[in-house]
Amino acid sequence: MTYPAPVEIPTRDLFNLGGRTVLISGGAGAVGMTVGKAVLESGGDAVFVDMVPSPNEQMWKTIEQISAAQGTKAWYHQLNVTDADSVAPVFDTIRGEIRHPLRGLVACAGISGECDACDYPIDVFRKILDVNITGTFTVTQAVAKEMHRANVTGSIILIASMSGWVTNRGINTAAYNASKSAIHQLGRSLAAEFAHPQNTFPGRTPGDANPNPDGERKAYPPIRVNTLSPGHIETPIAEAAKSRGLVDEWVKQNMLGRISQKEEYRAPVLFLLADGSSYMTGADLRVDGGHCAW
C-alpha cells in the first residue's frame, strides 16, 4: 500500500498536528511534558502516560491552560510500560475518550543508572533494559495496533540518545548506553516493518513467538518510525551531575559549549510527528550540539 507524497500541503501546515492525537510515554517527566505542550500548541490532542498516579499539579494546570487556549484536549493515564497486562485496558480507556485517532507517539519513558561494570547489580541492569527497550516496544506495539485499527497513517518517535552512538566519557553507564543503541536498531526494524508490505517476505516460519503462523498479512497505511537522539539535557536529574562537576566537563565535549534545554526538543519532535518529515523513516535525528561530530 503506497501512499502519495503530501505535496499539496501548504508550507504553513507542515508542522500542524490538527485532527490527530499523540501519545507521550514518560509524559509526567520534564521532557515528556514539554513536548506534550508543543503538541497541544500545534493543534494536536495529547495523551500523557507515566508510572505515577497523577502528574505534578502545577505542570498539569499549565497543560490544561494551554489546551483550553488552543481548543485542544489533554488526558493523563497511569501506565507502567513494562507491565504488558496493564497496557490493553489503558488503551481501551484511551480509545473511548479521544476525539481523533492516535496518529503519533513520542516514547520518552526511560531510566539510567551509573555503576562500574564489574560492580553492576544484574537486577538493576535488567531493569534498565526492561524499561528502556521492552517498555518502549510495548507502548509502540500498542500504539501501532491502534493506528492499524483506525486504518490511519502515523508517526512514531522513539527517544534514543547520543549515548547510543558514543559512550559517555567519564561516567560509567553501560546498561543505559546499550539500551539506547538498541533503540536505534528497534526504530530501524519497526520502520521497515510498518512502512510497506514489500519489506517483509511472504509467509512466516513457526517458532516460539509464532507457533501457528497464519496466512497473508493485511496491508495497513504506512507508519513512519524514527529515533531522536538528544545530547545532555538540563533537567532536575542533571543536578547531581552538576554538583560533581560533570556538567562542566560535558559542556567542553560539544561544539556549542553548553548542555541543552528541554525546550530545544520541541521543534525536532514536531518535525518528526508532522507531515514536514513525510519522506523520513528509519532514521535517527541527532540533536547533540555537535557532541558526536567532534
Side-chain angles (χ1 to χ4, degrees), residues 151-167:
N151 206 43
V152 294
T153 60
S155 178
I156 290 173
I157 306 170
L158 310 182
I159 302 299
S161 172
M162 68 176 189
S163 303
W165 286 101
V166 297
T167 192

Side-chain angles (χ1 to χ4, degrees), residues 203-288:
R204 280 174 269 190
T205 303
D208 290 343
N210 196 28
N212 300 300
D214 53 15
E216 186 176 352
R217 294 178 179 86
K218 183 178 178 181
Y220 294 101
I223 301 171
R224 297 185 297 108
V225 185
N226 293 289
T227 56
L228 173 61
S229 290
H232 294 296
I233 309 175
E234 179 94 35
T235 66
I237 298 175
E239 288 305 312
K242 274 187 179 180
S243 66
R244 293 169 57 195
L246 285 172
V247 173
D248 292 336
E249 291 302 314
W250 290 343
V251 300
K252 300 174 186 175
Q253 294 168 16
N254 69 66
M255 297 177 181
L256 295 180
R258 62 175 176 84
I259 63 174
S260 67
Q261 301 298 312
K262 58 188 185 297
E263 290 81 7
E264 294 183 281
Y265 298 96
R266 293 175 297 172
V269 164
L270 292 177
F271 168 66
L272 292 175
L273 283 175
D275 293 322
S277 59
S278 58
Y279 199 57
M280 186 173 179
T281 196
D284 180 62
L285 181 56
R286 201 170 65 210
V287 185
D288 66 350

Side-chain angles (χ1 to χ4, degrees), residues 88 90-100 102 146 149:
V90 171
F91 273 77
D92 287 342
T93 302
I94 291 170
R95 191 184 312 121
E97 65 189 5
I98 59 177
R99 57 181 184 169
H100 305 301
L102 268 176
E146 292 301 310
R149 181 193 293 264

Side-chain angles (χ1 to χ4, degrees), residues 24-91:
I24 302 103
S25 67
V31 174
M33 276 286 174
T34 300
V35 300
K37 292 176 192 174
V39 168
L40 294 167
E41 290 172 336
S42 298
D45 291 349
V47 179
F48 299 77
V49 298
D50 211 317
M51 287 188 64
V52 295
S54 60
N56 174 276
E57 185 176 347
Q58 187 57 46
M59 292 174 70
W60 191 249
K61 184 177 181 181
T62 300
I63 291 292
E64 291 179 327
Q65 290 171 343
I66 291 172
S67 61
Q70 298 295 326
T72 51
K73 296 283 187 179
W75 300 267
Y76 181 87
H77 290 280
Q78 184 178 20
L79 176 65
N80 178 353
V81 295
T82 66
D83 181 4
D85 292 337
S86 70
V87 172
V90 171
F91 273 77

